[in-house]
Amino acid sequence: MAELKVEDDDAKNGNSFEAIDTLVHECLHQKLTEGVEVARTPRGIKLDSCKRARDRANRRQQKGRTITIEMNCTKRHVTFVWALLECLLFTGLIFGWPWFLSTLRRNKYFLDLCNVTLPDDDVHKFHDGEGENSLLKPGGIPDFDGQNAKPRKCRRRTTTVATTEIPGSNYDSMLNYTYFCDEQEEKLELIHAVVFLVRNALVFPVGIFLDMYGTTRTRLLTILIFIVGTLMMTFSNASFPWLIVPAFSMFSIAGCIIMLTNLQTSNLFGDRRYTVMSSLIGAYQASAIVFLCIKSMNDIQTSFMFMTMGVVPILVSTIAFLPKTKVPWPLPADYGDGRSVAGGSSTRHRQSTSEDGRKCCLNLITFKSSALSSLFIWSVIWYGIYQLRAFTYDSNLRLMLISYGTPRDEVYKYSELFAAVQTISLPAGPLIGLLVDWKRSNSFAGNPLILQMKNVQFITFVTFGIALVNNILTTIPSIQLQVAGFILQAIERVAVMTSICAFLTHLHFPAEHFGKLIGLHFLSSSILCLLRFPFQTFINTSLKGDPFYINLLLLVLLILSCGHPFLIWYHCRIGLINNSSLSNSSNGREQLVVTIEDENDNNRRSMIRS
């Protein structure tokens, strides 16, 4: 139930009528309510319908009275819960990579890179009387031809499950061991790095598609990509381990786009907009829990087959809940009047597709002006540095724990603990969103645009504080502090994504270019994260596996990224925050007129010459 109270000063100035008018239109949006009961109370009135609300509220306005409107907005809450479950179950699977590593080891992915050395008793047990048909030999690698290869460093961990069999081999006797080696670990880490970079790079072209064709077509495309990716994982095994690279890339980018299209659901919630947005981002980060279920099943093919069938609820939300184009912000008074949520902007979409080339030129001008602004450029730098830190942290976690003296067998337990801690993102998301929605009294209360940007600036500074503490913890050789750092990492990543999405969905940036703007952030971060490879080489060669100095370098970059929140503060102070739908359109039209005049002048000159 939503409640609105208009105090004496507002009633005196006539603002209560405007507040009620806004809220009445909100109850009409997308048929989110079936009506409101009417009753007269000592404190005020309860309205029976949106149609009679204005008349009764206007007659009952008197000094000292409170006007209360109660609504049951069920459909938008169902839309939010549905989107939250989608983000939790299908979007951020890549964050559960440490859990999935254990499943890959058990299923012997890339085991051919290892020189598996068995105990003497097991060697005789496996190889006595087997001759050339033996798969494992002392000092050799698992080889389908029974041939030995050059010995490599290896280690063995005792376990109880190893189910997947390689065709033509004899792995039945290995049920009590999971074998893995440094070469296998490096290969799997490289796969994770490639998937991460490919996902970030592909957000930009899909973002362009989103801006051009709207939500429905984009989600149908991502559903197709998701299905292909999960089906490829069902066909992958130890004989075809390379399939996990395109498969993970495809359902990772599909999950990211599903999350971004679900963020528009927050536009239905008014003052709680950023709380809803951050909750969806928290569910996106917490979806690592899905790989824990896959690990417990220890059956990759069956698990991903079930995930393939999971596209059905995604398809339902695409058709039944989300609009064909986008949910606008701020919501217009007639949005959804007489239509369902799914058809919210079909008329405007048909109008936009029928416009001529001048409209496209105007859109290009507005996008160029936004992308070349100092605020946007610094936000790209800020996001790229934070992504580089997170990417480098994930890649160097194993080396960092080993350098702190952690036994190698315990390293993987801490890695899986790090994946488990990611589930803290689910409750942390709404808390971070409340900080953005928190209305603080200040000198900018008269300008809601500046006030909203000040809230974004506040959460950006909070994110910097969390990241600073987290970066300092990585330089201290203490396992207990690293576990505390796991928690801060989870909170920081939700705060970073919330900050950048709240920043780009502000009215200062045109909403019709959100897909391209967020895609540029991901693409730039993907390019910057390529530094991970020279960092890794430097750690392995010159630093002897200790990433201490790389962490110090990242700390310096983190301090330099403070230019972004300070630039937001400066723009708010001198009043440079404005509504892009007004300023950019007028500026774009002026530039378009100048361009057309120049073209006409050139045509006239060519005609005179001829």
Side-chain angles (χ1 to χ4, degrees):
M1 303 293 286
E3 184 175 5
L4 172 68
K5 291 186 178 180
V6 184
E7 300 300 333
D8 297 353
D9 295 338
D10 293 329
K12 184 176 181 180
N13 298 328
N15 294 332
S16 59
F17 177 79
E18 298 177 0
I20 292 174
D21 187 68
T22 302
L23 193 55
V24 166
H25 279 298
E26 186 180 22
C27 78
L28 284 172
H29 293 158
Q30 306 299 336
K31 294 183 178 179
L32 297 178
T33 180
E34 297 178 355
V36 187
E37 295 181 356
V38 61
R40 183 171 181 177
T41 63
R43 290 188 174 183
I45 58 172
K46 294 180 182 178
L47 304 174
D48 59 341
S49 67
C50 296
K51 183 177 180 180
R52 300 174 59 185
R54 299 172 187 168
D55 297 336
R56 284 185 173 273
N58 195 24
R59 291 197 301 266
R60 297 287 181 176
Q61 281 191 86
Q62 293 181 9
K63 186 175 180 179
R65 287 196 173 187
T66 300
I67 299 174
T68 303
I69 297 179
E70 295 184 356
M71 297 187 304
N72 183 18
C73 303
T74 55
K75 192 165 186 178
R76 65 173 179 177
H77 290 97
V78 171
T79 304
F80 165 65
V81 172
W82 199 290
L84 189 72
L85 293 176
E86 276 186 5
C87 292
L88 182 62
L89 299 177
F90 303 107
T91 57
L93 304 179
I94 190 65
F95 301 119
W97 180 259
W99 273 326
F100 196 64
L101 279 179
S102 176
T103 306
L104 294 176
R105 295 190 200 101
R106 289 179 180 179
N107 289 271
K108 307 169 185 67
Y109 279 69
F110 299 105
L111 188 62
D112 58 321
L113 299 176
C114 298
N115 169 26
V116 179
T117 304
L118 299 175
D120 294 338
D121 294 339
D122 292 335
V123 170
H124 294 296
K125 178 180 178 180
F126 285 113
H127 301 293
D128 284 348
E130 293 183 359
E132 294 183 355
N133 293 326
S134 64
L135 178 67
L136 301 176
K137 292 186 178 182
I141 66 170
D143 191 1
F144 298 110
D145 297 329
Q147 302 295 326
N148 292 336
K150 182 179 179 180
R152 296 186 177 96
K153 295 180 180 180
C154 63
R155 54 188 180 274
R156 184 200 69 201
R157 183 175 66 175
T158 302
T159 186
T160 56
V161 182
T163 58
T164 303
E165 296 183 8
I166 300 179
S169 66
N170 183 14
Y171 269 170
D172 294 335
S173 301
M174 297 176 60
L175 293 178
N176 295 324
Y177 299 101
T178 294
Y179 295 90
F180 50 93
C181 61
D182 291 330
E183 288 79 6
Q184 183 191 35
E185 296 299 317
E186 292 172 0
K187 176 69 72 174
L188 294 173
E189 289 176 358
L190 178 62
I191 289 175
H192 175 261
V194 171
V195 169
F196 182 86
L197 296 175
V198 170
R199 184 205 66 172
N200 285 2
L202 291 180
V203 173
F204 179 64
V206 181
I208 297 176
F209 189 91
L210 173 63
D211 292 336
M212 291 180 61
Y213 299 105
T215 302
T216 300
R217 295 183 182 180
T218 304
R219 285 175 67 95
L220 291 177
L221 175 64
T222 54
I223 287 173
L224 178 61
I225 296 174
F226 188 87
I227 291 174
V228 174
T230 52
L231 287 178
M232 291 180 72
M233 281 302 303
T234 60
F235 291 104
S236 69
N237 51 41
S239 299
F240 303 100
W242 54 270
L243 283 176
I244 64 177
V245 178
F248 260 81
S249 301
M250 296 182 83
F251 63 71
S252 294
I253 179 62
C256 184
I257 297 301
I258 290 173
M259 183 271 298
L260 292 177
T261 54
N262 279 335
L263 292 182
Q264 61 187 306
T265 305
S266 61
N267 294 345
L268 300 173
F269 290 85
D271 292 340
R272 296 303 177 191
R273 180 191 184 203
Y274 294 119
T275 303
V276 173
M277 182 184 297
S278 185
S279 300
L280 296 175
I281 294 173
Y284 165 67
Q285 297 283 342
S287 59
I289 194 69
V290 175
F291 274 157
L292 176 61
C293 301
I294 295 178
K295 177 188 174 183
S296 62
M297 292 179 63
N298 197 45
D299 191 342
I300 295 178
Q301 286 71 28
T302 304
S303 301
F304 280 94
M305 183 60 70
F306 279 110
M307 290 186 62
T308 304
M309 294 184 292
V311 301
V312 175
I314 301 177
L315 186 61
V316 169
S317 66
T318 302
I319 297 174
F321 296 111
L322 294 178
K324 292 182 179 180
T325 54
K326 293 179 181 178
V327 178
W329 177 259
L331 284 173
D334 60 343
Y335 180 76
D337 189 7
R339 295 187 299 270
S340 63
V341 176
S345 303
S346 59
T347 303
R348 285 187 293 271
H349 176 63
R350 288 193 296 268
Q351 293 175 353
S352 63
T353 56
S354 64
E355 292 184 355
D356 55 6
R358 292 187 179 183
K359 181 64 176 178
C360 298
C361 184
L362 180 60
N363 289 335
L364 180 61
I365 292 173
T366 57
F367 169 69
K368 183 179 179 181
S369 62
S370 300
L372 296 181
S373 63
S374 58
L375 267 179
F376 181 81
I377 293 174
W378 266 102
S379 69
V380 169
I381 297 173
W382 178 85
Y383 183 73
I385 291 175
Y386 277 78
Q387 285 289 90
L388 176 62
R389 291 181 58 257
F391 187 37
T392 306
Y393 183 88
D394 293 343
S395 302
N396 295 333
L397 179 61
R398 180 174 62 92
L399 295 176
M400 184 173 61
L401 294 175
I402 293 174
S403 66
Y404 293 162
T406 307
R408 288 180 178 266
D409 291 340
E410 298 292 327
V411 168
Y412 300 99
K413 294 182 180 179
Y414 283 108
S415 298
E416 294 178 0
L417 175 62
F418 174 65
V421 170
Q422 299 298 312
T423 56
I424 295 179
S425 303
L426 189 60
L431 298 178
I432 295 172
L434 286 173
L435 293 178
V436 187
D437 286 328
W438 181 27
K439 295 182 178 180
R440 294 176 293 277
S441 59
N442 52 46
S443 58
F444 302 104
N447 191 335
L449 295 177
I450 296 181
L451 181 60
Q452 291 174 8
M453 189 61 81
K454 290 285 289 184
N455 292 344
V456 175
Q457 171 207 322
F458 175 74
I459 192 61
T460 307
F461 274 115
V462 170
T463 304
F464 169 76
I466 297 173
L468 182 63
V469 175
N470 204 358
N471 217 136
I472 294 175
L473 289 178
T474 59
T475 62
I476 303 175
S478 172
I479 298 299
Q480 291 76 16
L481 292 179
Q482 300 313 313
V483 174
F486 293 167
I487 301 175
L488 290 179
Q489 280 284 343
I491 299 175
E492 176 194 338
R493 298 181 186 193
V494 178
V496 169
M497 197 66 192
T498 301
S499 300
I500 204 64
C501 289
F503 178 74
L504 293 178
T505 54
H506 190 275
L507 289 177
H508 185 75
F509 296 98
E512 63 270 18
H513 299 306
F514 172 76
K516 291 186 285 290
L517 295 178
I518 193 71
L520 280 177
H521 280 75
F522 277 88
L523 178 62
S524 302
S525 67
S526 178
I527 296 173
L528 188 60
C529 285
L530 291 174
L531 291 174
R532 178 260 184 191
F533 298 102
F535 285 172
Q536 195 73 25
T537 303
F538 184 66
I539 291 172
N540 293 332
T541 57
S542 302
L543 300 181
K544 299 180 180 180
D546 187 0
F548 175 79
Y549 291 101
I550 297 298
N551 292 332
L552 285 181
L553 176 60
L554 293 175
L555 180 60
V556 174
L557 293 176
L558 176 65
I559 296 174
L560 292 177
S561 68
C562 274
H564 173 55
F566 278 109
L567 189 62
I568 296 177
W569 169 82
Y570 175 75
H571 277 67
C572 292
R573 182 179 180 182
I574 64 178
L576 293 179
I577 305 300
N578 48 46
N579 191 337
S580 63
S581 61
L582 301 177
S583 60
N584 284 345
S585 60
S586 60
N587 295 335
R589 289 190 184 96
E590 293 176 359
Q591 297 181 25
L592 184 60
V593 169
V594 172
T595 303
I596 294 173
E597 290 178 353
D598 293 339
E599 292 178 355
N600 293 334
D601 292 340
N602 294 331
N603 294 333
R604 290 171 186 172
R605 291 173 184 176
S606 61
M607 291 175 64
I608 292 174
R609 291 176 182 176
S610 60

